Amino acid sequence: VTADRTSVVHPFGAGTLLQLIREGDGATRADLSALTGLARSTIAQRLEQLRSQGLLRELGESDSTGGRPPMMLAFNEDAGVALAADLGATHSRLAVTNLGGTVLAEDSADMPIAGGPETVLDWVDERFHALLREVGRDDDVVRGIGIGVPGPVEHATGRPRNPPIMPGWDGYPIPERFADRYRVPVLVDNDVNIMALGEHWTNWAAVDHLLFIKVGTGIGCGIVVAGRIHRGAEGAAGDIGHIRVAAGDEAESIVCSCGNVGCLEALAGGGAMAARLRDQGLDATDSRAVVELARAGEPAAVRLVRESGRLIGEVLAASVNLYNPSVIVIGGDVAQAHEQLLAGVREVVYQRSLPLATRHLRVVRSQLADRAGVIGAAVMVIEQVLSPAAIDAAIAAAPPGPRELAGAGN
Ligand SMILES: [Zn+2]
């Protein structure tokens, strides 16, 4: 189901030219010739291959100092669509995007992941189909499907691996579920990684090293290294929720879902905060209730959110020393809810990390907010299906066009 990654990329094939056009927000034939050293005739031939795939549009004539003005070529973002799903523990969001990552239609609903893969993916399939109809597109314009789930995933096969809050999903072949209707790549990753990807691609593309922290019911971290998601040897990188933070009698008494004591998530996650507010006699069933109480100015909730930020800051201070990111983005519903979380994180990170590592460090809130995951899922697809290898493979597999047939007869 996944695209063939073993195919050889031509050093300056059509796929590479498309990448240069996308990265530069357009180019002229002369630009491409100068960048690649290819003859103009070769450039023209490869551009024709891209045009036959519907991947190019002409922006009109660029500014010129005289003579016949050159044509600006740009990537046609409407050459297809991506289907994206951000499946959360209790709430899910779906979208159809164009190949520029722009959301064309979206939908969200309360859909417990614990309902199991059959129920949840039937719903996703049905809603994808409805969203495509909503934007007036057929199934055959879908270039790929991206799905984020709230648990660890074996990225190469798209199968969840021992996901603690996803009963019935362990080893489930998510990509195969969509193979009958769509013959396209289906990519699956955990929700924090896709949020990191969406935020990086949309707002921080020029930054090489970024950490994205999701603070919801649990706490997780997506790591962008040299512009790419770092998944680690077993796909478990960034699982900061189970790093031990401040010990003490109280911490020792709180047992985490993983069985250890003193875990960050068990002390500072939205679920943990709700439990502590209940202990104080407040009505807080889950992380959303914590958010509402904090927003309403309930002093106990505001204090707890600030303290949660400080605990997260402790783990991040160590991460900053270890990894030296340029940007830390804080997302997830608790982070969106109250500035005290960000304030607590900043307080400890700037105090405890080494000065050299924090000299240019920015700690910011997610700008995409609850759309980070679904946009990241689309980006995951777009980056794969528009990679030079995938484009060259698609061109090689396409039937010859009329011009090529005519040329072959000469
Ligand atoms: Zn734990």
Side-chain angles (χ1 to χ4, degrees):
V1 177
T2 51
D4 179 12
R5 292 171 206 200
T6 60
S7 58
V8 176
V9 185
H10 191 289
F12 289 114
T16 307
L17 293 190
L18 182 67
Q19 192 170 44
L20 292 171
I21 292 167
R22 286 176 66 216
E23 285 171 355
D25 293 327
T28 65
R29 286 176 178 77
D31 294 335
L32 295 171
S33 186
L35 282 165
T36 62
L38 292 174
R40 296 282 202 111
S41 58
T42 310
I43 299 271
Q45 182 201 11
R46 294 191 179 147
L47 291 176
E48 189 53 40
Q49 292 172 332
L50 293 174
R51 201 175 275 114
S52 72
Q53 298 277 310
L55 293 166
L56 289 187
R57 65 193 171 93
E58 290 176 345
L59 280 182
E61 290 157 350
S62 72
D63 290 337
S64 174
T65 51
R68 186 170 149 231
M71 186 64 73
M72 276 297 283
L73 298 157
F75 169 54
N76 177 19
E77 296 182 339
D78 295 313
V81 301
L83 300 176
D86 176 15
L87 306 180
T90 58
H91 192 78
S92 291
R93 184 175 286 263
L94 309 179
V96 178
T97 75
N98 71 8
L99 297 182
T102 300
V103 173
L104 305 175
E106 63 187 317
D107 193 7
S108 66
D110 289 326
M111 169 57 62
I113 199 85
E118 307 290 342
T119 305
V120 173
L121 296 179
D122 279 357
W123 173 77
V124 170
D125 191 33
E126 186 258 310
R127 293 309 305 158
F128 273 161
H129 199 59
L131 286 171
L132 278 171
R133 282 201 303 271
E134 192 180 317
V135 297
R137 301 296 191 97
D138 293 324
D139 291 354
D140 61 6
V141 301
V142 174
R143 297 276 182 142
I145 299 174
I147 296 175
V149 298
V153 173
E154 188 180 70
H155 186 61
T157 62
R159 293 168 185 242
R161 284 173 61 161
N162 304 316
I165 61 163
M166 297 172 63
W169 291 79
D170 186 23
Y172 189 87
I174 295 173
E176 275 84 332
R177 173 63 185 76
F178 297 92
D180 286 344
R181 204 199 289 261
Y182 308 98
R183 297 181 177 280
V184 295
V186 181
L187 307 178
V188 187
D189 205 344
N190 83 59
D191 57 351
V192 189
N193 282 350
I194 61 169
M195 292 170 89
L197 187 60
E199 195 71 39
H200 180 258
W201 198 79
T202 307
N203 296 312
W204 303 99
V207 164
D208 280 341
H209 307 297
L210 173 147
L211 297 177
F212 182 98
I213 317 302
K214 179 191 178 188
V215 188
T217 303
I219 297 173
C221 176
I223 304 169
V224 175
V225 177
R228 296 183 169 277
I229 294 291
H230 172 78
R231 298 188 173 84
E234 303 293 338
D239 199 354
I240 63 168
H242 304 283
I243 291 177
R244 187 185 175 96
V245 287
D249 289 345
E250 195 193 7
E252 293 296 330
S253 69
I254 299 171
V255 180
C256 180
S257 60
C258 73
N260 285 323
V261 294
C263 289
L264 176 64
E265 184 170 301
L267 295 168
M273 284 193 274
R276 293 175 80 169
L277 290 175
R278 285 198 299 275
D279 289 346
Q280 297 174 41
L282 290 159
D283 180 23
T285 48
D286 54 15
S287 69
R288 281 195 206 176
V290 177
V291 166
E292 278 162 26
L293 286 168
R295 277 190 171 153
E298 165 58 46
V302 173
R303 205 162 47 237
L304 202 53
V305 169
R306 176 83 180 211
E307 183 53 30
S308 168
R310 289 192 189 108
L311 288 169
I312 294 164
E314 277 190 35
V315 169
L316 288 180
S319 307
V320 164
N321 287 345
L322 187 67
Y323 170 63
N324 189 201
S326 310
V327 178
I328 295 176
V329 182
I330 314 283
D333 57 2
V334 178
Q336 298 304 327
H338 210 285
E339 63 195 11
Q340 288 292 344
L341 187 91
L342 201 61
V345 170
R346 283 182 172 142
E347 180 190 322
V348 176
V349 165
Y350 287 113
Q351 187 188 335
R352 299 275 295 273
S353 303
L354 292 169
L356 183 61
T358 53
R359 194 164 52 169
H360 300 297
L361 175 68
R362 279 169 290 181
V363 181
V364 299
R365 196 189 302 216
S366 168
Q367 293 173 59
L368 294 177
D370 53 8
R371 266 180 158 185
V374 81
I375 289 175
V379 168
M380 173 167 69
V381 167
I382 291 166
E383 287 298 309
Q384 165 141 355
V385 301
L386 296 182
S387 69
I391 293 296
D392 288 351
I395 288 169
R403 286 186 206 201
E404 287 162 62
L405 288 174
N410 290 341

